[in-house]
């Protein structure tokens, strides 16, 4: 089943119809929603189901203007690199030989190599962090993870922070590799994210599986 088929099935479910009604009401009240509707499912569009190798779970989209584009931790070219992503780059620079910290925070090139950059909640109101939590997106993205767990094998899940740990509770660790650490935010990166070596470990696992490593 492709992501497109998966989406069609989910959109028929009662929880999703309630979510769609909520989003429609938000738009009608002239609230600014991020990202744009065309980018809600950007992570799925850029990383087809059969291409997924690594999954990185985020929480909800950035709520600043021009930041969110449907990929967890990523921002479009020309947008200032956010603090958590700066710390991700810092960890990469110490973990991956030859990695040079880029000027851009756009992680589209990861997605195109098979890294599913999935937020738990896919929309947010401008300047209001967490405003679309508990409206139905969590059920949708739980179902994405369950679908990955059930239909794929030998995926690598990178779960950063307690929220992501809980979100990934039903991943079958006999089928998949799960790497956990604290969140890369400035509040917690020094408590276990720095030095976790997740990017290096993920690439070593991919090579062991006979797959192409990720060019981070």
């Amino acid at each position: 089943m492709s992501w497109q088929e998966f989406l069609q099935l989910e959109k028929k479910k009662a929880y999703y119809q309630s979510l769609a009604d909520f989003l429609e009401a938000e738009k009608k009240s002239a609230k600014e929603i991020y990202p744009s509707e065309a980018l809600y499912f950007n992570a799925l569009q850029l990383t087809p189901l059969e291409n997924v190798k690594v999954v990185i779970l985020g929480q909800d989209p950035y709520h600043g203007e021009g930041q969110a584009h449907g990929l967890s931790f990523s921002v479009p070219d020309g947008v200032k690199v956010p603090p958590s992503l700066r710390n991700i780059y810092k960890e990469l620079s110490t973990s991956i030989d030859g990695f040079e910290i880029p000027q851009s925070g756009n992680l589209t090139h990861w997605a195109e190599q098979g890294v599913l950059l999935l937020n738990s909640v896919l929309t947010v109101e401008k300047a209001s962090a967490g405003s679309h939590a508990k409206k139905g997106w969590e059920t949708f993205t739980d179902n994405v993870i369950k679908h990955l767990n059930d239909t794929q094998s030998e995926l690598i899940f990178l779960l950063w922070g307690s929220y992501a740990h809980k979100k990934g509770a039903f991943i079958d660790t006999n089928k998949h590799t799960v790497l956990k650490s604290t969140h890369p935010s400035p509040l917690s990166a020094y408590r276990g994210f720095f030095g976790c070596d997740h990017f290096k470990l993920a690439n070593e696992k991919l090579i062991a599986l006979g797959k192409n490593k990720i060019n981070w």
Side-chain angles (χ1 to χ4, degrees):
M1 188 196 307
S2 67
W3 285 135
Q4 196 55 42
E5 292 165 310
F6 171 83
L7 273 170
Q8 285 171 353
L9 286 175
E10 291 301 306
K11 285 179 176 180
K12 291 173 184 168
K13 296 179 180 177
Y15 87 85
Y16 194 97
Q17 288 169 5
S18 297
L19 169 62
D21 289 344
F22 164 75
L23 291 169
E24 193 57 38
E26 290 289 281
K27 281 185 218 152
K28 279 185 179 158
S29 66
K31 289 181 180 173
E32 202 161 338
I33 308 300
Y34 298 143
S36 65
E37 191 169 354
L39 294 175
Y40 287 179
F41 304 111
N42 199 24
L44 304 184
Q45 287 159 352
L46 287 173
T47 315
L49 180 61
E50 64 276 13
N51 292 1
V52 178
K53 297 195 282 194
V54 178
V55 182
I56 298 179
L57 286 182
Q59 197 157 345
D60 67 342
Y62 297 121
H63 54 83
E65 190 171 356
Q67 289 183 302
H69 67 144
L71 303 176
S72 60
F73 296 103
S74 179
V75 291
D77 293 323
V79 176
K80 185 180 177 185
V81 177
S84 289
L85 183 53
R86 278 206 302 274
N87 285 339
I88 289 169
Y89 283 165
K90 189 173 178 183
E91 169 60 19
L92 274 159
S93 70
T94 60
S95 182
I96 301 290
D97 289 341
F99 180 86
E100 292 185 15
I101 294 177
Q103 296 300 305
S104 173
N106 191 337
L107 304 180
T108 295
H109 65 293
W110 291 9
E112 289 170 341
Q113 294 176 78
V115 182
L116 183 65
L117 295 164
L118 183 69
N119 276 319
S120 172
V121 174
L122 301 188
T123 55
V124 71
E125 183 187 340
K126 179 181 179 178
S128 183
S131 50
H132 289 188
K134 299 187 173 65
K135 303 297 183 185
W137 280 129
E138 292 91 344
T139 302
F140 175 80
T141 50
D142 275 351
N143 290 347
V144 169
I145 296 166
K146 286 172 185 166
H147 189 62
L148 286 164
N149 180 70
D150 295 345
T151 65
Q152 308 300 300
S153 58
E154 300 291 4
L155 298 180
I156 302 164
F157 289 85
L158 307 186
L159 306 183
W160 303 331
S162 58
Y163 186 90
H165 297 174
K166 286 181 201 145
K167 185 90 176 157
F170 42 75
I171 298 163
D172 182 351
T173 53
N174 294 315
K175 279 176 75 177
H176 306 289
T177 300
V178 177
L179 302 176
K180 294 181 180 180
S181 78
T182 59
H183 195 276
S185 86
L187 298 172
S188 56
Y190 286 96
R191 299 204 306 269
F193 180 76
F194 289 139
C196 71
D197 262 351
H198 280 187
F199 303 102
K200 183 181 176 186
L201 292 168
N203 272 352
E204 287 173 352
K205 181 69 177 174
L206 289 170
I207 291 164
L209 292 168
K211 298 179 182 180
N212 291 332
K213 66 181 184 179
I214 305 299
N215 177 15
W216 302 105

